[in-house]
Amino acid sequence: MAPKLVRVFSEGSWWSRMNDYFPKFVMVKGGEIAPDERPPWLQLGLLGLQHVLAMFGSTVFAPLVCGFDSNTAIFCSGIGTILFFFITGGRVPSYLGSSFAFIGVVTAATGYQYSPGAGLNQHIPLAQGGIIIAGAVYAVVAVIVLLVGYRWVEFLMPPVVTGAVVMSIGLNLAGTAVHQAAATSFDAWMAFTTVLAVAFFSVYGPGITRRVPILLGAIVGYVIDLICGYAGAGPKIDYTEVGSAKWIGLPMFHTPAFDAHAISLITPVVIILIAENIGHIKAVSAMTGRNLEQYIGRAFMGDAIGTMVAGSLGSLGVTTYAENIGVMAVTKIFSTLVFVTAASVAVLIGFLPKFGAVIHTIPAGVFGGLSIVLFGLIAVSGARIWIENQIDFTNPRNLLTGGIAVLLGTGMTGDLKVTFGPIAFDGIGVSTISAVILYQVLRGYPQRSAPSPNSSEVNVVSGDEALEKLEHSAEYQLYDLHHNVAARHYRVD
């Protein structure tokens, strides 16, 4: 019996492999701290709270737009981050929060429009079914990546496609933001005030305040709206729900329903989640000097399972957050244990219903101002991808792919959809699919690379020919839907 036990637990056995699955997390007291290291315990707790602050605004705002419970979203973000930690073996530092990519498709699938006191979205179960299926498709992609690598994903989604899809998401939501901001003249002024506050903190804010301008802008707008209400310059904020809410209680969980129409609208978001995840891992790889790209398959799987769990419980799908990557860039502390700490705090917040009731009192004008900022940033992020990667729009392939995809995403709003039986695609879905298909179909367009300046042909090649590039092998960067956090340059051929 003893020899068998020795063999089972000997080096090279499954026990040994599991023991090596997670880092040893050696304590480091100062300087840069790598993903497989940790700061002292007190610092670990404080750093975790800082990451909660960084993710807080976006993780609360995204579900609120869609009529989901904020406490449930915070709770699911914590659970998703912990799952991500275990699936990646504690090798990839990242926080998973509510993804903005789901906003347009979820509101289209459920018909929900936010307003103070509107209550929860009555069609949350329909959205849940679509989110779960999106997560399942994402998991299938993760399995393929684990088996064959991730370069094929980059082949399908070069920067011209990614930029078009990201821009389409922002522009598709523009009408909703303006409608919220201009419901009344008072709301319009409050929206303007909120936008100015966010802009001020983004540009002039000291230190860490520049990392959370949305949160601080919301606080400033809320306080001014509150003062105006008591001064008689506008409507008072209604705190009836806050007074009746319990201090401690379970998050609001819902049972999902699976509807082909909702699933077809929501599933295309997988493309954006993949693009975000790749970009974030490459950004962290560049900052840490570690080869984290070998864990992209695991990261996909962690994000996919986190999205499926969130959808099952009644929250938006999750994604890796650039806000927290920005914090790492400032602190130079990349320990994955910091994110476990942050996730644990988020889970605890999920059990505070009164907190969620306070979030639901955000006035329409303030909310509209935040929407204008965030959706505008999404749209501009798409253009930023094109600019940073020097996309050549004299090339008909790029011009047609970008132009058609953006127009479809912008023009197909409201009830406009493309339907195939029970399956329907809204503007974002049509934009995404058209961009991917168009680019691949037009790959046959003849390409000529610009000659080297030292080449003897430089004086005989025309200007138009010199501008043409092998764009499919160009270096480019990915940006997420929250902040413009650049990834390291990499090639897609």
Side-chain angles (χ1 to χ4, degrees):
M1 191 69 178
K4 290 183 179 180
L5 288 175
V6 171
R7 284 196 301 271
V8 168
F9 291 99
S10 63
E11 185 175 354
S13 67
W14 67 271
W15 177 262
S16 177
R17 289 194 295 271
M18 287 301 296
N19 191 42
D20 293 334
Y21 184 71
F22 293 100
K24 303 302 180 183
F25 293 113
V26 178
M27 187 182 74
V28 177
K29 291 187 177 180
E32 182 173 317
I33 299 179
D36 55 358
E37 299 171 340
R38 70 167 179 85
W41 294 117
L42 179 59
Q43 292 183 28
L44 184 69
L46 294 175
L47 289 165
L49 290 175
Q50 181 174 250
H51 277 285
V52 170
L53 181 64
M55 67 82 183
F56 189 83
S58 296
T59 299
V60 169
F61 181 81
L64 192 60
V65 179
C66 301
F68 284 59
D69 181 63
S70 300
N71 285 65
T72 306
I74 291 287
F75 175 82
C76 289
S77 76
I79 296 297
T81 301
I82 292 172
L83 289 171
F84 185 88
F85 172 84
F86 279 100
I87 292 171
T88 60
R91 308 286 177 173
V92 181
S94 191
Y95 191 92
L96 269 59
S98 303
S99 173
F100 278 59
F102 284 97
I103 294 177
V105 292
V106 166
T107 53
T110 61
Y112 180 83
Q113 287 190 347
Y114 173 84
S115 62
L120 292 178
N121 190 332
Q122 297 302 307
H123 300 292
I124 287 178
L126 292 180
Q128 287 179 261
I131 293 169
I132 292 171
I133 297 302
V137 173
Y138 197 178
V140 172
V141 174
V143 171
I144 298 174
V145 170
L146 287 168
L147 294 175
V148 301
Y150 68 92
R151 294 295 179 184
W152 64 276
V153 176
E154 297 174 344
F155 179 84
L156 287 176
M157 294 188 301
V160 65
V161 171
T162 307
V165 173
V166 171
M167 183 179 291
S168 296
I169 291 176
L171 295 177
N172 187 269
L173 298 170
T176 302
V178 173
H179 176 77
Q180 291 169 342
T184 66
S185 59
F186 179 75
D187 288 337
W189 278 109
M190 286 312 307
F192 179 67
T193 301
T194 304
V195 169
L196 285 181
V198 173
F200 177 85
F201 283 113
S202 296
V203 177
Y204 299 111
I208 191 63
T209 61
R210 281 189 301 235
R211 296 295 174 188
V212 287
I214 301 299
L215 177 61
L216 295 177
I219 292 173
V220 170
Y222 191 99
V223 171
I224 293 176
D225 193 290
L226 182 65
I227 294 172
C228 289
Y230 280 104
K236 289 186 177 181
I237 299 175
D238 185 4
Y239 289 102
T240 304
E241 182 185 352
V242 178
S244 60
K246 296 180 180 179
W247 280 102
I248 299 176
L250 290 174
M252 293 184 182
F253 298 136
H254 301 269
T255 302
F258 295 90
D259 175 78
H261 176 78
I263 290 171
S264 64
L265 289 175
I266 296 172
T267 302
V269 166
V270 171
I271 293 178
I272 306 302
L273 300 181
I274 290 171
E276 285 183 334
N277 210 329
I278 290 178
H280 291 171
I281 289 179
K282 289 180 175 293
V284 177
S285 292
M287 288 189 294
T288 61
R290 300 287 184 94
N291 178 23
L292 299 181
E293 296 176 16
Q294 60 183 308
Y295 302 117
I296 284 181
R298 288 196 208 176
F300 279 6
M301 185 61 73
D303 197 1
I305 293 179
T307 293
M308 293 175 69
V309 170
S312 299
L313 296 179
S315 178
L316 291 182
V318 294
T319 186
T320 52
Y321 255 28
E323 289 90 333
N324 300 90
I325 293 176
V327 172
M328 286 190 286
V330 172
T331 63
K332 302 300 180 184
I333 298 175
F334 306 99
S335 173
T336 54
L337 284 183
V338 171
F339 293 96
V340 175
T341 305
S344 300
V345 174
V347 170
L348 291 176
I349 292 176
F351 290 98
L352 303 175
K354 195 172 286 290
F355 162 79
V358 171
I359 295 299
H360 286 161
T361 65
I362 296 177
V366 175
F367 197 84
L370 296 175
S371 298
I372 289 173
V373 172
L374 289 167
F375 299 160
L377 288 176
I378 292 173
V380 173
S381 293
R384 177 75 177 271
I385 292 173
W386 288 343
I387 293 170
E388 291 291 333
N389 297 285
Q390 301 178 355
I391 301 301
D392 178 14
F393 283 108
T394 64
N395 183 335
R397 181 179 66 190
N398 297 332
L399 188 64
L400 291 170
T401 299
I404 292 173
V406 169
L407 185 139
L408 289 172
T410 305
M412 290 185 61
T413 58
D415 295 327
L416 291 177
K417 297 176 180 66
V418 174
T419 304
F420 300 94
I423 301 176
F425 297 97
D426 71 337
I428 296 174
V430 173
S431 171
T432 301
I433 294 170
S434 64
V436 173
I437 293 178
L438 267 174
Y439 189 85
Q440 299 305 320
V441 169
L442 298 177
R443 275 190 179 274
Y445 179 78
Q447 302 288 309
R448 290 185 297 275
S449 58
S452 168
N454 297 323
S455 171
S456 60
E457 299 179 7
V458 71
N459 294 323
V460 297
V461 177
S462 69
D464 290 339
E465 290 175 333
L467 287 173
E468 291 178 349
K469 306 172 182 177
L470 289 174
E471 190 262 326
H472 66 275
S473 64
E475 293 181 330
Y476 75 98
Q477 297 173 314
L478 286 176
Y479 294 80
D480 86 310
L481 300 182
H482 309 281
H483 291 296
N484 291 330
V485 176
R488 184 177 58 182
H489 286 290
Y490 59 103
R491 300 182 70 83
V492 300
D493 56 348

